[in-house]
Amino acid sequence: SKMSEKLSTFLESGIYRFEESNAVFIDPVRVLNRSYNRFKVSPSVYYSRFFESKHTANETSNSRKRKRKQKKSHTLNERERAADQRHQEVRPLLLEAHETLLRATDLLVAISNLRDCSGSSPSKCRGLSSSSIEQSFVELGRVWQAPLYEITLKFHPTNKTHEDRGSLIMENSEQRVLPVFDNLIVNETSDDVEAEFLNSQYILPRESCFYMVCSWLNLLFSSPEASNEATSIKLKIHNLIPAEPDCGFNLIVIDPPWENGSAHQKSRYPTLPNRYFLSLPIKQLSHKEGALVALWVTNREKLRGFVEEELFPAWGVRFMATFYWLKVKENGSLINDLDLFHHRPYECVLLGQCHGEMNPKDLRRFEIVKDNQIIISVPGDYSRKPPLGGLLLEYVSGLNPTRCIELFAREVMAGWVSWGNEPLHFQESRYFL
Ligand code: SAM
C-alpha cells in the first residue's frame, strides 16, 4: 500500500514526508547513519533523554503546574504580548502538523520503536565505549597545554588496486598524529576513521572535516576594558574562509550559544552575549553565488528582534522563511503543553540567503524556500538539534557540489565542515554501536 511504501522510505532514510502537509517527521539516528559505513549511531544512547521513567514525567507535570500558577499572577508586558502573538499565529499550523502525525498510525508504531537497535544484542546496544568519563573539550581547550594535545587518526586498511602491478594488495593501516585544537582535521577518505584522543575513541565519518577552537588564547589577548572574545571568534573562523570565492560554502547552519536570560536556568556550555555574533564572517564564508543560511533561535522575543533588525543585516542575510522543530515523545504526544509560555515544545530555525560577494541584484535565485515548514522529531541530548542537511540541500541543488558548514557544532557529518569548541562531542564511541 501507499502507506507502507512511505514507511519503508522512512526506515531507510529517516525522513517521513506527510502528504499534502508542510510537515515531516525525522529520525536523526537514521539520518546520521547515512554518514557511516562501518559504525552506527546508537539509538538507545541518542534517545536516552525522552524515553524516560515515570519519575521524571511527574517532575515535568509538577513544574508545569508551577508555571501555570506563575502565569496567572501577572499580566503580560509588551514583549510577552508580542511573543504570544507570534505563538498564536503559528499555533494552528503546529496543531495541524501534530494531528497529521497522530493519524499516521504505522509511523507511530515505528516511533515507539525508535530506541530499539534491532539485530543487536542488549550489551551492544549500550554503545561502544567502555570508559565512563566524558571528555570536556571546552575545559581542555582552556588550559595552557591545549595547543599541545594531539589526536591520532587510524585509517582503516583498504584494498587498493595497484595498477602498475595489476594486483590487489592490502595496505597497512595508516596513522596520522595531529594537533587537535585550532587545526583543520580532515577525513578525506570514503570510509569511517577511528581516532584516539586521551584514551577515548572517536569516529569520524567519510569526507568530513572539523576545526576545534581552544579558548586559552582568548585569556592572553583579552584586556579588562574590552572583551576580545568576538575578535577571537572572528580570527579563528577566518582560518576556514576559502581563498577563492567560488570555493565558499553554500549551506551554512548556525546554532549559537545564545544566553538564556533566566539566571537559574544554567546552560551546559559557555554562552555569549548577542553582540558577539555580529562579527561572525558569514559573508566571507559564503559562496560567491550566495549561501543558504539556517540559524537556530530560541523563543525569546528579544532575540527574535535582534536577529531580524541587527544580526541578519550585519551578516548580509536576507530573511526567507521560518521552520519549526516540534518535539514529541515516543508515544507521539508533545513534550510539553503547546501553550506553556516558557517551555514551548518547539524551536525555530530562521532561513535566509546570504548574497556573498555578489551584487544582490545579480544574485542567482535560490529555490523558493516554503515558509512555515514543520520538522517533527523526538529530541536527543540537551540542546541537540535534529540534522537539517537532508531537508535543506534541495534548496541549494543548483550549486554543485554543495559545500556545507556548521558553526558551533557538536558533531561531525559526511560532506560537512564542523566548527566549534567541541565538534567531537557526539563523535565519542559511547554514542555508537
Ligand atoms: N547544534 C549543536 C547540537 O545540535 O548539538 C548544539 C550547539 S550549542 C547551542 C552551542 C555550542 O557553541 C556549544 O557546543 C558551546 O560549547 C559552543 N561555544 C560556546 N562558546 C564558543 C566559542 N567562543 N567558540 C566556539 N564555540 C563556542
Side-chain angles (χ1 to χ4, degrees):
S1 73
K2 210 169 182 183
M3 208 52 165
S4 62
E5 204 179 287
K6 267 196 170 308
L7 192 69
S8 66
T9 310
F10 167 72
L11 294 176
E12 210 147 89
S13 66
I15 300 180
Y16 190 106
R17 289 177 196 277
F18 299 104
E19 236 151 283
E20 284 164 38
S21 163
N22 52 350
V24 297
F25 180 86
I26 85 166
D27 171 17
V29 173
R30 286 189 165 84
V31 173
L32 291 173
N33 275 338
R34 285 151 67 190
S35 278
Y36 300 94
N37 302 355
R38 288 176 292 122
F39 296 91
K40 288 271 159 281
V41 173
S42 162
S44 64
V45 180
Y46 187 98
Y47 287 119
S48 56
R49 193 162 137 246
F50 269 93
F51 289 84
E52 57 196 7
S53 63
K54 279 204 181 86
H55 172 72
T56 15
N58 278 338
E59 267 173 25
T60 330
S61 73
N62 281 341
S63 69
R64 193 173 296 172
K65 273 178 212 140
R66 212 168 53 233
K67 284 277 146 48
R68 281 221 188 88
K69 242 192 203 156
Q70 269 177 13
K71 208 184 150 186
K72 254 188 212 153
S73 62
H74 90 293
T75 44
L76 301 180
N77 63 32
E78 197 181 328
R79 196 171 272 154
E80 286 169 330
R81 277 201 304 276
D84 191 56
Q85 192 185 336
R86 228 187 256 279
H87 171 69
Q88 295 305 334
E89 277 165 22
V90 66
R91 196 178 181 281
L93 299 175
L94 295 170
L95 277 178
E96 195 186 299
H98 188 229
E99 278 158 21
T100 311
L101 169 76
L102 295 181
R103 279 195 300 271
T105 45
D106 59 345
L107 177 62
L108 285 178
V109 174
I111 296 175
S112 69
N113 291 324
L114 280 183
R115 202 158 65 136
D116 296 350
C117 14
S118 53
S120 301
S121 64
S123 66
K124 246 188 146 185
C125 224
R126 255 181 271 126
L128 274 178
S129 180
S130 51
S131 81
S132 55
I133 331 144
E134 196 160 35
Q135 218 64 263
S136 165
F137 293 103
V138 178
E139 292 304 318
L140 286 173
R142 285 197 177 122
V143 301
W144 68 268
Q145 297 96 325
L148 306 175
Y149 283 127
E150 289 179 327
I151 189 167
T152 305
L153 306 195
K154 297 181 267 183
F155 291 87
H156 197 57
T158 44
N159 291 319
K160 276 191 185 159
T161 320
H162 282 235
E163 273 156 23
D164 48 340
R165 278 187 280 159
S167 64
L168 202 69
I169 63 154
M170 188 76 155
E171 296 214 329
N172 284 331
S173 52
E174 185 201 329
Q175 294 211 348
R176 238 180 258 170
V177 183
L178 302 161
V180 73
F181 286 107
D182 287 343
N183 188 21
L184 186 68
I185 299 186
V186 186
N187 171 13
E188 74 282 13
T189 73
S190 51
D191 195 7
D192 313 331
V193 161
E194 284 163 88
E196 191 175 317
F197 174 63
L198 295 182
N199 294 322
S200 291
Q201 306 296 320
Y202 299 86
I203 317 293
L204 301 176
R206 63 173 181 273
E207 287 142 26
S208 67
C209 295
F210 72 90
Y211 192 100
M212 184 149 65
V213 293
C214 68
S215 50
W216 76 278
L217 279 168
N218 299 350
L219 302 173
L220 275 184
F221 293 132
S222 65
S223 54
E225 60 278 2
S227 164
N228 267 340
E229 185 105 23
T231 344
S232 161
I233 285 187
K234 204 164 162 183
L235 289 176
K236 287 175 174 186
I237 296 191
H238 266 275
N239 294 333
L240 296 180
I241 293 173
E244 305 290 328
D246 53 353
C247 291
F249 297 96
N250 32 46
L251 179 54
I252 304 177
V253 172
I254 314 163
D255 183 16
W258 303 118
E259 280 181 340
N260 249 325
S262 53
H264 51 269
Q265 201 188 337
K266 59 170 186 276
S267 193
R268 299 188 200 182
Y269 45 76
T271 57
L272 292 170
N274 290 351
R275 64 175 187 284
Y276 286 38
F277 303 113
L278 291 167
S279 63
L280 287 180
I282 303 303
K283 210 174 201 161
Q284 292 92 306
L285 287 170
S286 294
H287 192 278
K288 71 166 195 280
E289 287 181 34
L292 179 64
V293 176
L295 176 71
W296 285 97
V297 291
T298 64
N299 287 317
R300 292 182 63 212
E301 192 57 26
K302 196 178 169 186
L303 177 62
R304 298 293 291 268
F306 168 74
V307 171
E308 284 161 24
E309 286 144 35
E310 291 180 61
L311 193 60
F312 270 5
W315 288 352
V317 170
R318 190 175 53 86
F319 171 81
M320 289 198 292
T322 308
F323 283 11
Y324 297 87
W325 171 34
L326 188 63
K327 305 178 209 180
V328 297
K329 297 192 224 174
E330 80 281 15
N331 60 7
S333 66
L334 299 177
I335 63 157
N336 280 324
D337 261 22
L338 188 54
D339 295 317
L340 207 57
F341 199 82
H342 290 289
H343 296 273
R344 304 268 195 236
Y346 64 88
E347 290 183 46
C348 307
V349 190
L350 305 181
L351 294 151
Q353 184 175 9
C354 180
H355 42 74
E357 297 303 316
M358 213 173 240
N359 184 335
K361 273 189 273 151
D362 305 331
L363 199 63
R364 207 192 132 270
R365 280 200 70 84
F366 267 45
E367 311 290 322
I368 302 294
V369 180
K370 214 170 82 191
D371 201 14
N372 291 327
Q373 295 194 58
I374 295 160
I375 300 146
I376 311 176
S377 79
V378 178
D381 265 332
Y382 174 78
S383 192
R384 190 169 188 182
K385 309 299 191 299
L388 296 181
L391 300 173
L392 297 179
L393 278 177
E394 62 183 276
Y395 298 111
V396 278
S397 57
L399 295 166
N400 249 325
T402 318
R403 303 207 345 125
C404 314
I405 188 168
E406 183 176 346
L407 303 181
F408 303 102
R410 290 192 298 184
E411 66 194 346
V412 181
M413 290 174 296
W416 286 70
V417 178
S418 293
W419 178 94
N421 62 10
E422 48 177 351
L424 278 186
H425 182 86
F426 290 121
Q427 301 311 122
E428 220 252 14
S429 57
R430 78 174 66 228
Y431 296 101
F432 292 85
L433 293 177

